[in-house]
Amino acid sequence: MMRCEEIQEQLSPYLEDELAAGARRGVEDHLRQCGRCQNELGLLRRTVTALRSLEEAEVPRRLVAGVKARLASRETFDWRRLASWLFVPLHVKLPLQAAALLLVSLGAVYLFRSVPELARAPAPPSVATEYATRDRESPRAAVKRSDLDERAGARESAPESVGRKLEDRLASVPRERPAEGVVGQERMQAGGEKQREAQEQKSVGDSAGRFRPEPPAAAKAAPPPELVLRTGDPARATERIAEMVSAIGGQFAPTPEPQRLVLTVPAEAYPKLLERLRELGELKPPTAEPPDSPQGSVTVSVRLVP
Amino acid sequence: MVARSSHAVAPEGRDTDHDLVDRVLAGDREAFTAILERHQRRIFNFVYRMVGDRTTAEDVTQEVFLKAYEALPRFRKAAAFSTWLFRIAHNHCLNVLKERRREVVMGRPADGSADANPVPQIVDPSASAEEVLEQRELQALVHDKLNELTPDYRAILVLRDVQGLSYEEIAAALEIELGTVRSRLHRARGELKEKLRSYLGS
């Protein structure tokens, strides 16, 4: 019976005429003697005939129209085909995408380095830090800043772009910082455009000049020494001090603190200033060495105590 | 009766498949319509025998042509276009059948488990009414039994005995070796023969 199973496994190849001559003869010899295998061959033939006689199914009439409609409905279809055409196969697509990413990154770095405005863009937080530092060190700078803030507020009320406002605030920074500010120098070096930077600062300074006199350089260099004047009538004393400072060719500036004044006088008039102050009340310390003043003027802070 | 060979070369005066592909790639969408009209019948019939019902077959056939359109730039002309289409159709059918099996496992009725929308058959007009009836019964029987086979067996029987592809074309369409085509075909026939034994006699 083993023989029949072997033969039956060869019936399909036999029908396909795939058997070698010897194997084919062996199958035919067996079939002549074996009714069971003849029946199997007959059944296999009818199976194959039934398959081959399967009628063709009618194609739905809307099939072509359906495909065309679905193609048309894909709005991005052409772009996808184009992308597919350009970037497939994968071994082309991946290196191209990597190269594109690298180029974009390099371009961004180059742009950042070559445009000083972009290099300055992250500056605002550090400017805020500078303000905080200066506020602690320089009451006069605090006065200037409040003045500036008022004007900045006026500008912000006008319809300007945010970028413009940022630019204004950035431009105002050198005007307020101490003369020959270290940060300003670092910026100029980092930007690599010292000349341009200097021009920008000059133009800002010019515009600032319309609002108030340039602060004495000594005031920018170091915080002024503080004098305490004990007097019975601070309001009256303030008026007198203003007149006195003006008379000796100095400048007078109030601060946000009502009892605190900032005075700038020529260095040679400083002893005279102290003398006049002592006339108004009890001055502490009674004598004070004038601070170093390369520009020839002295700035002191006077606190009025009732 | 379904055409028994795939025509890579078009009759005189007609564009070959490869010509049409070139025209589509050059931007001529009408050329794709020509491809559709030329191949829809064979692809639809293959898909219909694979998935078992007309509604699913129509949808799947449309998707096959959409996929073919998108993949057209990757078509290598070393192969016959029709074979390439059969490959796409076969792969898509396998995906559909896999999805259907998953739905059955999850307890949802799978589309096409019974053909509620039987496909009109093209029958011999010279046959008598009884013969037509008998023929239709046999057709339905073979169709049902085919659907009881595994997708691999079903595909190879449809491509070889229904569509009439050569072993080489089948090997290319199913992406298998020639030897595998032979062995799988003979085993598939043997299995279908067993399923039809009680109907076709011993």
Side-chain angles (χ1 to χ4, degrees):
Chain A
M1 297 315 288
M2 188 62 190
R3 176 77 177 147
C4 284
E5 286 178 8
E6 287 175 4
I7 291 296
Q8 285 171 21
E9 283 179 4
Q10 296 184 53
L11 289 179
S12 180
Y14 172 74
L15 280 183
E16 289 289 317
D17 203 14
E18 291 172 4
L19 295 178
R24 181 178 182 81
R25 256 197 317 278
V27 170
E28 288 171 345
D29 288 347
H30 180 89
L31 285 172
R32 271 194 290 275
Q33 299 162 14
C34 180
R36 183 182 168 201
C37 286
Q38 283 177 24
N39 285 339
E40 287 303 311
L41 179 62
L43 180 59
L44 184 63
R45 277 203 170 110
R46 287 192 292 279
T47 299
V48 173
T49 300
L51 272 173
R52 290 181 175 170
S53 62
L54 272 180
E55 299 292 347
E56 186 177 63
E58 270 184 37
V59 178
R61 291 199 181 109
R62 59 180 182 270
L63 195 144
V64 172
V67 174
K68 290 169 78 172
R70 286 170 74 169
L71 278 179
S73 72
R74 295 185 180 189
E75 291 179 1
T76 57
F77 184 71
D78 282 335
W79 289 108
R80 291 174 61 185
R81 264 190 70 213
L82 180 65
S84 174
W85 176 255
L86 285 175
F87 296 119
V88 168
L90 209 62
H91 68 268
V92 175
K93 177 165 67 175
L94 285 181
L96 273 177
Q97 288 177 342
L101 189 64
L102 188 65
L103 273 178
V104 168
S105 306
L106 289 176
V109 170
Y110 175 77
L111 188 68
F112 184 81
R113 291 194 170 184
S114 63
V115 180
E117 286 78 4
L118 282 178
R120 282 204 302 269
S126 66
V127 169
T129 309
E130 288 169 26
Y131 276 149
T133 307
R134 263 206 323 282
D135 283 352
R136 282 195 304 273
E137 295 172 348
S138 165
R140 184 176 185 94
V143 174
K144 300 291 180 189
R145 186 159 65 84
S146 68
D147 181 19
L148 271 177
D149 287 344
E150 283 175 16
R151 285 187 283 117
R155 282 201 298 274
E156 281 166 14
S157 65
E160 290 183 87
S161 70
V162 173
R164 172 73 184 176
K165 290 175 189 170
L166 176 62
E167 197 175 310
D168 284 350
R169 291 195 69 81
L170 285 172
S172 71
V173 171
R175 187 174 57 199
E176 295 180 51
R177 69 164 47 97
E180 307 300 324
V182 176
V183 178
Q185 283 180 357
E186 285 173 352
R187 266 190 204 156
M188 284 192 285
Q189 286 162 1
E193 291 192 15
K194 293 183 181 177
Q195 199 171 1
R196 182 172 171 180
E197 187 84 8
Q199 280 175 349
E200 284 176 7
Q201 289 194 27
K202 185 172 183 298
S203 68
V204 171
D206 290 343
S207 66
R210 290 197 299 273
F211 298 99
R212 58 175 163 71
E214 191 68 14
K220 297 178 185 174
E226 184 177 273
L227 303 175
V228 177
L229 180 63
R230 190 175 295 278
T231 175
D233 186 354
R236 173 67 184 155
T238 301
E239 288 174 12
R240 293 286 304 278
I241 290 171
E243 291 167 8
M244 179 176 70
V245 169
S246 179
I248 60 177
Q251 291 176 3
F252 168 90
T255 70
E257 299 172 49
Q259 307 299 329
R260 187 185 181 86
L261 312 169
V262 174
L263 313 178
T264 302
V265 296
E268 62 272 15
Y270 184 65
K272 195 172 183 180
L273 173 68
L274 294 181
E275 187 183 331
R276 295 283 175 83
L277 288 174
R278 278 194 293 273
E279 290 170 2
L280 294 173
E282 183 187 352
L283 184 67
K284 288 184 179 178
T287 57
E289 288 298 318
D292 291 340
S293 173
Q295 282 78 25
S297 63
V298 173
T299 298
V300 290
S301 168
V302 177
R303 186 140 55 88
L304 301 175
V305 179
Chain B
M1 198 72 166
V2 179
R4 293 294 172 198
S5 64
S6 56
H7 298 286
V9 179
E12 198 174 338
R14 289 179 69 194
D15 287 327
T16 64
D17 286 341
H18 290 178
D19 292 337
L20 290 172
V21 169
D22 287 340
R23 283 173 50 194
V24 175
L25 291 177
D28 180 359
R29 287 200 181 186
E30 284 309 305
F32 191 70
T33 304
I35 288 176
L36 262 173
E37 287 168 348
R38 183 178 293 181
H39 293 280
Q40 59 168 332
R41 203 178 57 176
R42 302 185 75 205
I43 296 300
F44 175 76
N45 271 274
F46 170 72
V47 170
Y48 169 60
R49 299 299 176 192
M50 287 297 291
V51 299
D53 76 285
R54 180 182 176 83
T55 306
T56 307
E58 181 178 351
D59 192 45
V60 170
T61 304
Q62 287 191 3
E63 286 164 6
V64 166
F65 280 107
L66 291 172
K67 282 175 181 286
Y69 190 96
E70 287 173 6
L72 217 50
R74 299 195 293 275
F75 169 59
R76 300 280 171 264
K77 291 178 181 172
F81 182 74
S82 59
T83 306
W84 184 72
L85 268 183
F86 274 122
R87 187 189 306 166
I88 295 174
H90 175 245
N91 288 334
H92 196 49
C93 286
L94 292 185
N95 289 337
V96 169
L97 293 171
K98 201 181 294 177
E99 183 67 26
R100 183 183 286 174
R101 272 202 305 277
R102 196 158 57 218
E103 286 177 357
V104 169
V105 168
M106 292 171 69
R108 281 182 286 178
D111 292 338
S113 52
D115 194 350
N117 188 12
V119 171
Q121 307 289 324
I122 302 168
V123 296
D124 182 1
S126 64
S128 68
E130 283 177 4
E131 285 172 332
V132 168
L133 188 62
E134 193 177 326
Q135 199 178 16
R136 283 194 170 153
E137 283 174 356
L138 179 62
Q139 299 263 331
L141 178 68
V142 175
H143 180 80
D144 288 347
K145 295 301 172 189
L146 256 180
N147 271 282
E148 291 177 9
L149 299 178
T150 64
D152 280 350
Y153 283 1
R154 203 183 314 161
I156 205 159
L157 288 178
V158 173
L159 289 177
R160 177 61 180 174
D161 290 329
V162 182
Q163 298 275 352
L165 267 62
S166 69
Y167 284 4
E168 288 76 13
E169 288 171 323
I170 295 170
L174 302 185
E175 299 173 282
I176 55 177
E177 298 295 323
L178 266 180
T180 308
V181 173
R182 288 195 184 89
S183 59
R184 188 181 293 178
L185 173 68
H186 301 319
R187 285 200 303 274
R189 280 178 177 170
E191 194 158 315
L192 183 63
K193 180 189 76 176
E194 294 307 317
K195 290 185 179 295
L196 292 173
R197 180 178 296 279
S198 59
Y199 306 98
L200 297 179
S202 59

